[in-house]
Amino acid sequence: MNPSDRPNLGLVCITHAPTIRYRTLTLSRYNALAVEARAGVLEELYRSNLATLLRALDYCAENGIRLYRVTSAPFPLSDLPDGVGESLLEDMPAELAQVGQKVAQHGIRLVVHPEQYVVINSDSPSVVENSIALLEHHARIFDWFGLPCSSWAAINIHGGKGGKSRELVEAIARLPQNVRSRLTLENDERAYGAAEILGVCLQAGVPMVFDAHHHVVKERLPSFEDPSVAHFVSAARATWPRPEWQIVHLSNGREGLHDSRHHELVFTVPSSYLDVRWIEVEAKHKEVAIGQLEACWPVPTGSRVS
């Protein structure tokens, strides 16, 4: 197979081997620090994690991986109201810009999936406020990286509070441009199935990231070859400003088709994924699963990866 015909199989955050690991800091540990020591501790942590991110991009380039999902907290606690972390990042423009320079150098696409507690259509005004603030913070980080203000550099979230599609559409419309222009929505196995999230994406004018595993689990489908899987791959593609930018998520259930937990590897690929160019591999064994898939791509329709 011509390598140019292969999809871009994406690495999610870290490697299964200890090659790529980010450091973190809990809020309780931060609060226990002397006030005058906090900036120094955070700066050292941020520089360490930035070096890890740059190393991760080199790792991707060396292994032919062109899609990378950065961790949702590369700079822990930088969104706190005290402003210490964000001020440190604002003082690191040249260092942060290295990320955009390196993704351009290597031809890598960088995306992020913020924390699950981002719910911009919550019943709680404070949850909505905090969720929007967190999305704005992610967008600022992407701005500092020098990434495009488009869904090429996707900020992907789930639909949030179930039964509140109208509120979700309205909330998206109020987001700042640097968030809204990057925002994508993903179907899940609980609150927002593929049909519901597709409707929101069409109304809000944002791309849909289709997850076949979530869809099969939510709808209790007999296989990944159910016709609805191909339907939503196609329908989701039409929501992207450029169809070739479409991203889908790929995983298998740990203990069976309808297990929402992710398996270590991927054994079954929907045949409708074979012409998608950007596929995030959400398997627990990360680069091992990517290597296994690349070794046998294209996967014959309805077959298991061996």
Side-chain angles (χ1 to χ4, degrees), residues 170-191:
E170 292 171 352
I172 291 171
R174 293 191 296 268
L175 292 172
Q177 175 63 18
N178 66 339
V179 178
R180 190 171 64 251
S181 62
R182 293 181 173 117
L183 193 71
T184 62
L185 297 179
E186 177 188 350
N187 61 296
D188 62 66
E189 73 274 25
R190 296 182 182 88

Side-chain angles (χ1 to χ4, degrees), residues 144-161:
W144 290 328
F145 285 166
L147 300 181
C149 206
S150 73
S151 53
W152 174 261
I155 299 176
N156 184 56
I157 64 173
H158 291 288
K161 178 73 173 180

